[in-house]
Amino acid sequence: MFKQYNMNQVILPLDMERKLHKDDIAFTIHEMIEGIPEEAFEPFLRETGTPSYHPKMMMKVILCAYTQSVFSGRKIEALVQDSVRMMWLAQGYEPSYRTINRFRVNLHVQDLLRECFVQFRSQLVEEKVIDQEAVFIDGTKIEANANKYTFVWRKSTERHSQNLIEKSNTMYEELLEQEVIPAMERESSDELSTEELQSVVNKLDDHIEDFNQKIESSDDTAVRKQLRSDRKKPKEYQKQFKDFLQRKQKYQTDMEIFGERNSYSKTDHDATFMRMKDDHMRNGQLKAGYNVQLATENQYALAYDVFPNPTDVRTLIPFLDRIENDFFELPRYIVADAGYGSEQNYQDVHENREREALITFNTYRKEKTKKYQKDPSNSANWAYDEEKDAFTCPNGQQVSFLYTSQKKDRYGFTRTVKVYECEDCSSCPLRAECNKRQSGRNRRIYFNPTWEEQKAYIREQLSETKTGELYGQRKIDVEPVFGFLKANLRFSRMSVRGTDKVKNELGFAFMAVNLRKYTSKPQKVSGRTPYHSQKKDSDDQKMIIRTFFYS
């Protein structure tokens, strides 16, 4: 005997919710979006035109699609038509892929996503899933939606720009010597501006037009032939200066797009070429991408941001500002790996934010090795006399204080360095090993007291039981989120272009990771009942009506 099966029988369930499992992820998405204050949706209101879809519905649909590893607008549209949970979240509406794509790149969606993260974190705190003692920070590089070979490099642009300046100046001087055009007032003697290049082109156009009029007005073949011959050189200059003008404008545009970066992609101007772990050519080829910074606790993504920097060291301070301004108050401990260790970062965390930095530095592991600790040429192993303010080298020579130097990097941060110099290295038996980089003079030591104090503080913190265990938790807290995002969710490449749009998409992706983790195992609930566990009143119950049609 078989169960009843008849394709001529039409079944019309009016409540899609009853087709979903009680622990379905759609209920969690619905509860979170409904918890966003109504004021956050007001920027989407329009007084004219056709009424738009409610942003709550659009947020739920896109978030649900991302949890199912569906990132394409067309596939999301198809999912709304096929998936029961998507039908329930959309409540019968079927937005087109154009509507979906326009919504998820809307600038106002950033505020909605921020509200989602704030709401989600408050829920985790309420349920005591996170303890707010520390925040774990790390970064990853995600490939941009750009062609791999559309790179523009700053050094190349600067070199070509300098060649253009030299050629244009030389040709301008030739035009003045040949009295082809009159001299003009220049803003700078170093280079011709775009306005000045345009002026040269206009004057050459007038000069060539004079030749054309003379040629047309002359009936003498020999004269006309001579005029055409004289016109060739100005036309060549005209062609060259038009090319100079176009290239000058292009180089200026390139430099504006670069900003502080060294490269950008022609496909996505906000993307920077970085070294990815997945080397498609296996030769160190760079790819256009974004440096994504993430703050986590208990393997939940709590805040995120996007930066064009290939390295992490200069992203920490702006990322912490972003967390404090838009997401939550920083906890006591800021935990990150050695890629964030710098004097400026330590100073910002300790002095400006009054927090504890559990961040190692680049040489932390190296300094623990026996080779480093027994190296006689390493000044860190030399004895120091605080009264004399001098070191003693392995040969017994005194390395005395010489002067204090202030070093400012290209980003404006100033470091104070004390310089010490050895008395006499001429007859030292360790000279070849100790003074390799300073041959021809006595050995010098560049000592940064602030940096050394910071490193000593970090060593002390990591040697303690509590803080050492807290730092050791970093790898098992933030790395799994990236692994889930790229491996399980299969989100390894952006589908939109531009920093603002990329931020929106990453917000959906990280929240999808959170929702997948949150619904994968039962959570400790305190003080309230999740939406999908609540019982509806009898007035809200809907009957499932089945209508049978027989042929």
Side-chain angles (χ1 to χ4, degrees), residues 198-210 212 238 242:
Q198 183 64 57
S199 178
V200 172
V201 171
N202 294 338
K203 291 179 180 180
L204 287 172
D205 289 341
D206 296 338
H207 189 68
I208 293 171
E209 184 62 25
D210 292 340
N212 293 338
Q238 179 197 40
K242 283 184 176 180

Side-chain angles (χ1 to χ4, degrees), residues 350-381:
H350 292 155
E351 298 179 9
N352 299 342
R353 306 181 197 275
E354 298 181 353
R355 300 293 192 273
E356 302 291 338
L358 299 183
I359 305 172
T360 55
F361 43 90
N362 290 334
T363 58
Y364 177 74
R365 293 186 180 278
K366 183 180 179 181
E367 290 179 4
K368 290 185 173 183
T369 61
K370 291 183 179 179
K371 181 180 179 181
Y372 182 91
Q373 296 174 355
K374 294 183 178 180
D375 185 3
S377 64
N378 186 1
S379 59
N381 300 325

Side-chain angles (χ1 to χ4, degrees), residues 45-56:
L45 290 174
R46 296 186 303 181
E47 297 181 357
T48 60
T50 305
S52 59
Y53 292 115
H54 201 291
K56 286 185 179 180

Side-chain angles (χ1 to χ4, degrees), residues 212-219 224:
N212 293 338
Q213 292 177 0
K214 291 177 182 179
I215 293 172
E216 292 178 358
S217 61
S218 176
D219 295 331
R224 289 165 64 92

